[in-house]
Amino acid sequence: MKRAAILWRVASVLVAGSFIAAWQLVADLRLVSPVFLPGPDRAWAALVRGFSSGDLAGKLIGTLEHMAYGWFAASIAGIGLGALIGSSKMMRAYVAPSLEFLRPLPVSAIIPVAIAMLGLTQGMALFVIAFGAIWPIMLATIHGFAAVEPRLYEVARSLQMSRAAIIAKIALPSALPDILAGMRLSLTVALILSVVCEILAGLDGLGHWVLLSARAFRSADLFAGVILLGATGYLTSIAVSLVEQRLLAWQAAAR
Amino acid sequence: MSVVARLIEARAARRQKPLIAFNAATLRLGGKTIIENLDLQVRPGEFLCIVGASGCGKTTALRLAAGLYRPTSGAVTFEGEPITEPRREVAIVFQDYGKALLPWRTAAGNISLALEASRVPARERGARIEALLRKVGLPGHADKYPTEMSGGMQQRLQIARCLAQEPTTLLMDEPFGALDAMTRQGLQDEVLSLTQASETTVIFVTHDLDEAIYLGDRVIGLLPHPGRIGIELDVDLPRPRDQLATREHPEFLRLRRQLFDFIKATEH
Ligand SMILES: Nc1ncnc2c1ncn2[C@@H]1O[C@H](COP(=O)(O)OP(=O)(O)OP(=O)(O)O)[C@@H](O)[C@H]1O
Ligand SMILES: [Mg+2]
């Protein structure tokens, strides 16, 4: 069991390593013009240069801020609305159809509306990011609240627990695995939309950096930005997973 | 008449008055009459067992007494007042203990839920939890999650949580139905010693006729479609009951025979 896990880890490192090696090979053989494709060596150099000159760190912080604000707003609104809808059968019956209509709507369709209403502002970015990121969270919360074991509500009734106590002690913890899974999904959505908004509205962030680098044919800087975006998505997702593991330690006991 | 004598008399009168009473209670669910014209009085401190074929309405009757259902017509009363909602002094032990426990709380946390609901101050909870776990034979398991416990331990935990409510009445729905014979007998004796000492009133649903006679002061047999009382037996067996001696008692065997014949006739 343990050995298999180590082997998988080794295998995944090998895959990543050979991917980078292949990339270097393609770049060195000039299969693609260096104007468009820098090798990993040049991308890395650009990354280091970007950080030492201070530009890139500022852009990274800008993107992290957009992402975090949008994601927090989406989480609070998504959990609140999801709890409201999910805990009542009637609400589910009434609201679910309109949700099904709104959900498949690509967020990109909302962006022009948001720009028209809010302009090319931080507020617009916050709205778009939160709007896109709310869906996985809200739908997961609705599902989590709807799936609470009815027996537990009867236990709560027989203990004459207050409505607030029932939500805090029964419904929320029961729905927590679903909610956290939804929050992890929407993290990626928030990152993508942060970049999109930065590109469209020229807001300070990695999206803007990537756009400017591409326009100036600075492919190494472009790749440095992309690598940083990938790392941001990967690391934030790991961070949420760690929190998830901590909060859901009781599930590990079940296995 | 002296004050003491009057007090004793008042207490005796209270003992005679039913704690829980079904008065011509009828319950219809989904267009079907599930319980019809049920008349039943449960005395304070009584251990009443309800038996009957599967689907005859035992669980439904218990849920009426719990306040989880309200009768369509007639009344179900607690101390003379109609039951409208579950109350803390009436604890329910569900058959499916796996679903009735919070999987994200440890054994201690599950018991704490009842203490929190009764507003027991946080600093008193630890000692109370420890005492309750000891009472149901689970000392040292405070930090285990329900999923780490056997079925028998989980059911003990649920009973401990119910005792934390400090109930005057325990409603038990086939609490030992899913347990093996040895665990079952052990828990039967534990429930008897826990409830007899505190004069807790118990309504105990089971489909095990031997269990019903072994535990009860009285056994009610329900007839199905719709659920109503078909037989009522007073169990005049000495207490404390003993797994071997009681079950060999001629009266036990006579009652057992009578109950088996009744159930057989309802199954035809
Ligand atoms: N919510 C409901 N709606 C409609 N019918 C119901 C409902 N709950 C129970 N019934 C029906 O009422 C009858 C009695 O059910 P109940 O669960 O009380 O039986 P029971 O005696 O406890 O059976 P078992 O021994 O199998 O637990 C059954 O025929 C069942 O199908
Ligand atoms: Mg039943």
Side-chain angles (χ1 to χ4, degrees):
Chain A
M1 201 62 212
K2 208 115 186 219
R3 253 186 67 173
I6 293 172
L7 282 178
W8 275 113
R9 188 59 55 85
V10 169
S12 68
V13 168
L14 280 180
V15 168
S18 40
F19 174 77
I20 294 174
W23 175 14
Q24 186 73 63
L25 197 68
V26 169
D28 286 351
L29 294 176
R30 305 203 162 216
L31 292 176
V32 181
S33 158
V35 177
F36 300 117
L37 184 76
D41 49 350
R42 279 177 57 211
W44 180 254
L47 199 62
V48 174
R49 188 165 9 95
F51 268 108
S52 54
S53 74
D55 277 9
L56 206 49
K59 304 284 175 191
L60 174 63
I61 288 171
T63 297
L64 284 176
E65 272 179 3
H66 291 143
M67 189 179 164
Y69 290 149
W71 186 63
F72 277 125
S75 298
I76 290 165
I79 294 171
L81 288 172
L84 203 70
I85 298 166
S87 56
S88 138
K89 216 180 218 162
M90 216 163 66
M91 280 290 267
R92 286 210 298 278
Y94 285 133
V95 180
S98 8
L99 288 185
E100 288 309 310
F101 174 78
L102 281 173
R103 184 173 62 107
L105 211 70
V107 189
S108 39
I110 291 294
I111 296 180
V113 181
I115 292 179
M117 287 192 321
L118 301 165
L120 295 173
T121 58
Q122 299 281 0
M124 182 279 296
L126 181 66
F127 175 79
V128 169
I129 297 165
F131 185 84
I134 200 175
W135 297 103
I137 301 176
M138 185 164 71
L139 294 174
T141 308
I142 292 175
H143 176 261
F145 267 72
V148 176
E149 171 58 49
R151 186 68 81 230
L152 293 180
Y153 284 136
E154 291 179 353
V155 169
R157 274 174 74 191
S158 106
L159 290 172
Q160 293 181 303
M161 284 165 62
S162 68
R163 212 181 137 68
I166 291 175
I167 289 175
K169 293 176 184 173
I170 309 268
L172 261 183
S174 169
L176 196 61
D178 287 310
I179 294 174
L180 289 173
M183 286 174 76
R184 191 153 36 80
L185 278 178
S186 66
L187 203 59
T188 318
V189 178
L191 177 61
I192 293 170
L193 288 174
S194 301
V195 172
V196 169
C197 286
E198 284 156 14
I199 289 178
L200 284 179
L203 302 174
D204 217 21
L206 286 175
H208 199 221
W209 166 281
V210 166
L211 180 73
L212 291 185
S213 306
R215 279 196 185 146
F217 294 101
R218 293 197 314 262
S219 61
D221 284 346
L222 171 73
F223 270 69
V226 171
I227 290 170
L228 215 47
L229 282 173
T232 304
Y234 183 65
L235 293 177
T236 48
S237 174
I238 285 184
V240 173
S241 295
L242 287 178
V243 172
E244 217 173 328
Q245 266 174 33
R246 258 203 81 104
L247 288 177
L248 304 180
W250 58 272
Q251 280 192 330
R255 273 177 230 126
Chain B
M1 202 156 60
S2 78
V3 178
V4 175
R6 227 177 295 159
L7 274 177
I8 290 174
E9 196 161 85
R11 183 152 179 239
R14 213 170 41 239
R15 281 195 136 265
Q16 287 319 301
K17 266 217 285 204
L19 183 71
I20 295 177
F22 292 71
N23 300 321
T26 297
L27 181 72
R28 271 189 283 278
L29 282 177
K32 231 172 69 177
T33 306
I34 296 175
I35 298 277
E36 186 161 65
N37 263 326
L38 186 65
D39 273 305
L40 176 64
Q41 269 92 44
V42 187
R43 293 183 297 271
E46 182 177 9
F47 201 121
L48 175 77
C49 293
I50 301 181
V51 297
S54 184
C56 70
K58 305 183 293 292
T59 296
T60 310
L62 204 68
R63 291 173 67 86
L64 277 169
L68 291 170
Y69 285 150
R70 275 193 236 174
T72 315
S73 68
V76 184
T77 61
F78 186 87
E79 288 175 340
E81 299 291 323
I83 300 169
T84 54
E85 262 299 297
R87 50 178 76 212
R88 258 202 299 272
E89 61 196 297
V90 179
I92 314 163
V93 179
F94 293 100
Q95 172 172 11
D96 40 8
Y97 40 77
K99 291 182 179 171
L101 296 168
L102 310 182
W104 56 86
R105 284 197 183 208
T106 58
N110 268 280
I111 297 176
S112 175
L113 186 77
L115 299 176
E116 293 158 27
S118 313
R119 301 191 193 289
V120 174
R123 69 201 133 71
E124 287 172 28
R125 282 181 217 148
R128 291 271 291 273
I129 289 167
E130 206 166 295
L132 283 161
L133 282 172
R134 212 167 329 106
K135 214 170 186 178
V136 298
L138 290 175
H141 294 286
D143 295 328
K144 283 220 172 86
Y145 286 100
T147 42
E148 298 174 291
M149 306 171 102
S150 70
M153 290 162 79
Q154 289 183 33
Q155 190 58 293
R156 277 165 209 238
L157 177 56
Q158 196 193 176
I159 292 171
R161 185 178 66 202
C162 286
L163 295 178
Q165 284 175 251
E166 306 201 311
T168 57
T169 307
L170 261 182
L171 306 176
M172 308 182 87
D173 189 4
E174 301 194 33
F176 311 142
L179 304 176
D180 62 273
M182 284 307 288
T183 312
R184 208 180 162 108
Q185 294 202 346
L187 281 175
Q188 286 168 357
D189 289 333
E190 275 173 45
V191 162
L192 276 183
S193 70
L194 286 173
T195 55
Q196 299 300 116
S198 54
E199 293 194 43
T200 306
T201 311
V202 185
I203 306 184
F204 190 103
V205 166
T206 173
H207 57 234
D208 180 339
L209 306 184
D210 288 26
E211 182 172 70
I213 302 167
Y214 179 74
L215 293 172
D217 295 316
R218 188 156 56 120
V219 180
I220 301 281
L222 290 188
L223 285 170
H225 313 300
R228 65 222 124 95
I229 292 178
I231 193 172
E232 182 176 342
L233 298 172
D234 283 313
V235 182
D236 243 334
L237 288 166
R239 290 199 188 264
R241 307 264 161 99
D242 176 273
Q243 288 290 355
L244 290 178
T246 302
R247 288 173 194 270
E248 284 166 359
H249 202 286
E251 176 69 1
F252 184 94
L253 298 174
R254 190 186 67 78
L255 289 167
R256 186 172 185 269
R257 183 45 174 269
Q258 217 175 333
L259 216 49
F260 262 97
D261 287 344
F262 163 77
I263 293 289
K264 208 151 206 171
T266 66
E267 278 170 348
H268 44 250

